[in-house]
Amino acid sequence: MTLQQRLASNVKNPFVIAHLVFAGTYFVFVFLGDWAKRKDASYDAFGFYGGTGFGILAFAAAIALCILALMRLTGYSKVLPGLGVEQLTLALGLFATVNIFAFVFGWLPVLPVKKDPAGTGWGLVAAYWPASFIPQIGILSLARTRPGKGIKPLSTVDRNAVSLLTLVAAVGVIVFPFMTWIKVGALKLSTYDGRTECNELGDICVETLGKGASGPRLGYLLLIIGAVVGFAALMRLRPKGLAEPGPNLLLSHCLFGMGLTAFLIPLAMIITTTQNDRMAADTGLWLSLASGALMIVISIYENYRRGAKAA
């Protein structure tokens, strides 16, 4: 089929149009909307007092989702070996949704408050609506695609090795948030540290996070991801393994989506620390990033070994 024929066919597909509309709407709200507001000012997705690293990665995800929507419209499916438009739409849509929760509940309450606490901006609230629909589009459209042919099961040795490495990565995602993620002067904060009076630690701490400093409240979110992945890894260690979610949605695709989110959330915090000279990323944050990266590497390796098909 020519490009014009593919366009004429896909423009009648409601999933293609829905993906394009939701991705475009998400991009507009992320790019133009306010992410945080105070009494006298509002802040966009890119500044330290606004979306910080979460807003920057949301903008990158919005661009990627728009590109995937255009690829879907023009009839292209393969993006990477074993990962196609449908599978990447699901993974990025999951991150786009979780990223908003991570910012609202994990970092927005920790922003330098002093006597002027930050609230959610209209752009952030509006962006949640299209972001929450994008993963659903990915699931529904994947269910409609033809099953890929030639996908091989893993050997028992490979399956056990993949499961054990996945379990190690899941434990890292759970455990490393208990370690120090950020340092502000002499103050060290994990994701589970609550409000800590830091008057005695000097002006750096007070000026950066206010008198009551708190760690980024992201530990419970990562705990859920790690627990789900770890439980699935243990199930795969059984002699019968674990059933696939679908013919074009393999366990490795699910691991890629969870690993991508587990990788990008710590990356958002690392970007945030670069926006303020008083803050620094510490060991726990870097190890959490590495755990998410390990999940992604394992999923790509499994796709390669099994000959997974892009959809």
Side-chain angles (χ1 to χ4, degrees):
M1 295 178 67
T2 65
L3 177 60
Q4 288 182 335
Q5 289 173 327
R6 291 198 300 269
L7 284 171
S9 174
N10 289 330
V11 78
K12 301 176 184 178
N13 187 330
F15 291 100
V16 173
I17 301 305
H19 184 179
L20 194 61
V21 169
F22 286 131
T25 307
Y26 176 67
F27 174 83
V28 170
F29 288 143
V30 168
F31 182 57
L32 298 179
D34 296 327
W35 272 54
K37 63 180 181 179
R38 296 177 185 273
K39 293 179 181 178
D40 301 322
S42 298
Y43 301 91
D44 62 18
F46 307 102
F48 178 72
Y49 290 94
T52 65
F54 300 92
I56 292 171
L57 290 184
F59 179 68
I63 293 175
L65 286 167
C66 288
I67 292 173
L68 291 174
L70 292 174
M71 290 182 67
R72 190 197 292 262
L73 181 64
T74 53
Y76 293 98
S77 60
K78 184 176 180 180
V79 182
L80 297 169
L83 287 169
V85 168
E86 314 283 359
Q87 292 132 349
L88 284 172
T89 298
L90 177 57
L92 283 171
L94 174 66
F95 165 70
T97 306
V98 174
N99 184 53
I100 291 175
F101 282 112
F103 176 74
V104 172
F105 299 109
W107 183 245
L108 189 63
V110 185
L111 280 172
V113 291
K114 295 188 178 179
K115 295 182 179 180
D116 186 9
T120 53
W122 67 267
L124 177 66
V125 176
Y128 172 75
W129 176 72
S132 64
F133 281 102
I134 292 172
Q136 300 176 53
I137 294 172
I139 293 173
L140 292 174
S141 56
L142 265 175
R144 297 175 73 250
T145 56
R146 295 180 179 178
K149 297 180 180 179
I151 301 175
K152 301 172 292 185
L154 285 175
S155 67
T156 302
V157 173
D158 277 345
R159 177 165 56 83
N160 288 340
V162 164
S163 300
L164 286 173
L165 284 174
T166 302
L167 186 60
V168 169
V171 171
V173 169
I174 293 172
V175 171
F176 293 138
F178 284 95
M179 299 173 62
T180 302
W181 263 39
I182 59 172
K183 293 188 296 185
V184 184
L187 181 65
K188 297 181 178 181
L189 295 166
S190 76
T191 64
Y192 292 98
D193 285 327
R195 290 288 174 187
T196 303
E197 292 297 327
C198 61
N199 291 334
E200 67 278 6
L201 296 175
D203 293 339
I204 291 179
C205 178
V206 175
E207 292 174 5
T208 307
L209 294 178
K211 291 183 179 181
S214 169
R217 302 171 184 177
L218 301 168
Y220 294 106
L221 177 62
L222 294 172
L223 174 64
I224 293 171
I225 294 174
V228 171
V229 173
F231 180 74
L234 288 172
M235 293 288 286
R236 294 192 76 182
L237 285 170
R238 301 182 307 162
K240 293 183 178 180
L242 183 64
E244 306 281 2
N248 288 320
L249 182 60
L250 306 178
L251 290 169
S252 53
H253 294 137
C254 297
L255 178 61
F256 177 83
M258 300 291 272
L260 186 68
T261 300
F263 173 79
L264 291 178
I265 295 301
L267 181 60
M269 276 307 309
I270 291 172
I271 295 173
T272 299
T273 61
T274 65
Q275 293 182 316
N276 191 309
D277 294 336
R278 299 186 179 98
M279 295 178 62
D282 205 24
T283 307
L285 181 51
W286 290 107
L287 291 176
S288 295
L289 183 78
S291 298
L294 179 58
M295 287 185 182
I296 295 173
V297 171
I298 294 169
S299 67
I300 293 173
Y301 170 78
E302 183 176 349
N303 280 339
Y304 167 75
R305 294 290 291 176
R306 297 186 63 184
K309 306 301 180 183

